[in-house]
Amino acid sequence: MNNAGSVEVGQEVVMKNVGRLPVTFSRGEGSRLWDADGKEYIDFLSGISVNNFGHCHPDITAALRDQAGKILHVSNYFYLEEQIKLAHELTKLTNYHSVFFANSGAEANEAAIKLARKYGKTKLGGRYQIITAKGSFHGRTLGALSATGKPQYQEDFQPLVPGFAYAEYNSLKSWLGAITEQTCAVMLELVQGEGGVYPADPDFVEGLARICYKYNLLMIVDEVQTGLGRTGKLFAYEHFNMKPDIVTIAKSLGGGVPCGALMVNEKADIFTPGDHSTTIGGGAMAYAAGLVTLRLLQEPGFLDEVLRKGNYIKDTWEYWRREMPVIDGCRGLGLMLALDLKVPSKQVMLACLEEGLVVNAVSETGIRILPALNISREDLDEGLAIFKKVLKNL
Ligand SMILES: Cc1ncc(COP(=O)(O)O)c(C=O)c1O
């Protein structure tokens, strides 16, 4: 038997840089996945908020097929039609001034970090320090890892890139205390995703925006996980009474094809030729899928329905909590949610997988879900029923 695609072979030849679960998926459609043995699963994770329109959305698939037969790459010396169209659509929707395309969230954040450094150097007399949040996650490249406020991810990779300071999430006092005469920017998530799904407090975010304005610091918001509809708004910053200078996005932008982006306002639009680049930087396939993604997100009532579905899940979980003492609480925004348990989450994640539901153990006791934004009520209920059964059997 040809077992070239089996978990056993994967465990030998695919690098063990992350802890993978012993399942090989071979097909997906909407919010359903099938593994190599044909077992069906409900997907409540969407590839960590990448497949926001489910697997193989017909419009995204058609755009990718079409683009693959048209043109893929021309280098940075030229424009690509789809690149311009996607940048135009993003700037039209947000009023940001311009867009740089990268290949991932980490790369988008690297660009933001370099931009903040240049801003400090050229506009603020040489300041270079960026303040980020404890518990944050900004990616695994060395600069993004240095920005990440999780010492456990950083230990083996010292020395890190210098010039980062870390402050308590949701504590304005802590950020004020961290600002020095070297500070040029702050960088934060509006819902900490990898940190355990912790939404930011509006008073904190709006207070921080005021501080940035007062001290002329750049405000960078990392919307790699929260962006593009995940929280029920096109961008999570729309939940707050402020607008960042720089927003980074990635994940779902390319509809499953790698793509990251950095959007800047006029004040932060300071890169000049030669400052920053990447050979592919998204690429035509990602841009084509990105255009479909933005169109789907703008369908009337779509984002309101994301919010409604998120509230429905939270209400359901609150209801379960009354009869299941194993539940400790829940939190989140839109369809970015976590359920806290009084038992280790890994055992629950594995039991869900066994029963045909994909969820994520985001912390020792927290289960994170990121269902496709267009998940049907039927799939949602079916997934919730599996989750409930697993929790009841604990
Ligand atoms: C908020 C945030 N920033 C950055 C990243 C890194 O993105 P990527 O894995 O595409 O490099 C992630 C990934 O989970 C993220 O959640």
Side-chain angles (χ1 to χ4, degrees):
M1 195 178 86
N2 178 5
N3 68 346
S6 69
V7 168
E8 292 71 31
V9 176
Q11 283 167 342
E12 275 175 42
V13 298
V14 178
M15 198 177 276
K16 294 172 186 61
N17 54 315
V18 291
R20 288 185 175 82
L21 296 170
V23 182
T24 306
F25 287 115
S26 50
R27 193 164 73 81
E29 194 183 320
S31 288
R32 307 263 166 172
L33 281 166
W34 287 267
D35 70 16
D37 298 324
K39 180 176 162 187
E40 189 174 329
Y41 300 76
I42 303 254
D43 185 3
F44 266 12
L45 192 57
S46 312
I48 321 181
S49 200
V50 168
N51 310 111
N52 275 2
F53 286 92
H55 298 274
C56 301
H57 187 286
D59 294 3
I60 293 177
T61 304
L64 290 174
R65 284 208 171 106
D66 187 44
Q67 191 61 45
K70 216 161 107 189
I71 190 166
L72 290 184
H73 180 68
V74 288
S75 92
N76 278 321
Y77 296 126
F78 310 96
Y79 291 101
L80 256 178
E81 205 178 322
E82 286 68 24
Q83 173 193 41
I84 301 171
K85 284 186 188 162
L86 185 59
H88 184 257
E89 193 62 17
L90 281 168
T91 52
K92 192 183 82 188
L93 285 170
T94 60
N95 245 337
Y96 278 105
H97 200 240
S98 74
V99 184
F100 161 75
F101 291 110
N103 299 291
S104 67
E107 265 191 43
N109 286 334
E110 290 288 340
I113 292 164
K114 275 181 71 179
L115 200 150
R117 285 274 182 103
K118 179 165 182 182
Y119 187 83
K121 192 159 193 83
T122 58
K123 310 270 182 198
L124 302 175
R127 292 199 228 159
Y128 59 87
Q129 187 197 51
I130 301 172
I131 303 171
T132 67
K134 291 184 184 169
S136 61
F137 184 79
H138 298 295
R140 302 285 191 161
T141 52
L142 203 56
L145 182 68
S146 306
T148 291
K150 282 184 170 239
Q152 67 273 32
Y153 290 175
Q154 297 170 328
E155 251 159 46
D156 286 350
F157 306 100
Q158 301 281 355
L160 299 173
V161 175
F164 289 94
Y166 312 96
E168 293 292 338
Y169 197 55
N170 280 336
S171 164
L172 210 48
K173 198 167 146 222
S174 173
W175 290 68
L176 263 175
I179 293 174
T180 69
E181 67 257 15
Q182 295 307 337
T183 308
C184 64
V186 303
M187 179 167 175
L188 75 161
E189 298 154 273
L190 296 176
V191 181
Q192 286 192 333
E194 302 308 296
V197 190
Y198 289 99
D201 170 3
D203 286 343
F204 161 69
V205 173
E206 290 158 22
L208 192 59
R210 278 196 297 276
I211 290 170
C212 288
Y213 184 74
K214 183 170 169 196
Y215 295 107
N216 198 15
L217 312 178
L218 286 181
M219 185 165 191
I220 305 167
V221 165
D222 177 344
E223 294 237 24
V224 168
Q225 197 161 142
T226 54
L228 300 160
R230 176 51 61 190
T231 67
K233 300 269 187 197
L234 190 55
F235 293 99
Y237 70 75
E238 295 168 47
H239 289 284
F240 302 87
N241 191 14
M242 59 100 206
K243 192 162 179 197
D245 298 298
I246 299 177
V247 173
T248 56
I249 48 177
K251 291 198 186 277
S252 68
L253 178 61
V257 177
C259 195
L262 169 80
M263 304 191 292
V264 296
N265 64 13
E266 201 168 355
K267 171 179 156 189
D269 203 352
I270 56 166
F271 274 158
T272 51
D275 275 345
H276 194 66
S277 168
T278 163
T279 300
I280 294 184
M285 297 280 269
Y287 304 142
L291 283 166
V292 179
T293 300
L294 291 181
R295 175 173 60 72
L296 294 173
L297 284 166
Q298 289 176 79
E299 277 178 6
F302 182 79
L303 291 172
D304 292 338
E305 180 63 5
V306 170
L307 270 178
R308 270 196 293 275
K309 283 189 270 202
N311 288 335
Y312 169 70
I313 297 170
K314 274 199 277 191
D315 289 348
T316 305
W317 283 352
E318 286 296 348
Y319 186 72
W320 292 357
R321 191 180 174 183
R322 288 191 229 152
E323 55 183 49
M324 284 194 262
V326 72
I327 297 176
D328 212 9
C330 66
R331 60 181 173 275
L333 199 55
L335 281 171
M336 187 171 179
L337 299 162
L339 185 71
D340 268 327
L341 301 169
K342 293 177 190 157
V343 294
S345 55
K346 187 153 183 217
Q347 111 190 37
V348 175
M349 174 180 70
L350 291 172
C352 284
L353 203 60
E354 188 59 37
E355 293 293 328
L357 176 69
V358 179
V359 296
N360 166 245
V362 73
S363 62
E364 284 297 308
T365 52
I367 291 283
R368 169 176 56 170
I369 67 163
L370 299 158
L373 306 183
N374 65 345
I375 190 168
S376 67
R377 291 282 179 151
E378 293 72 34
D379 286 350
L380 199 54
D381 282 337
E382 202 175 318
L384 286 171
I386 297 173
F387 198 14
K388 186 176 183 185
K389 179 177 156 198
V390 166
L391 295 175
K392 281 216 140 171
N393 285 343
L394 285 173

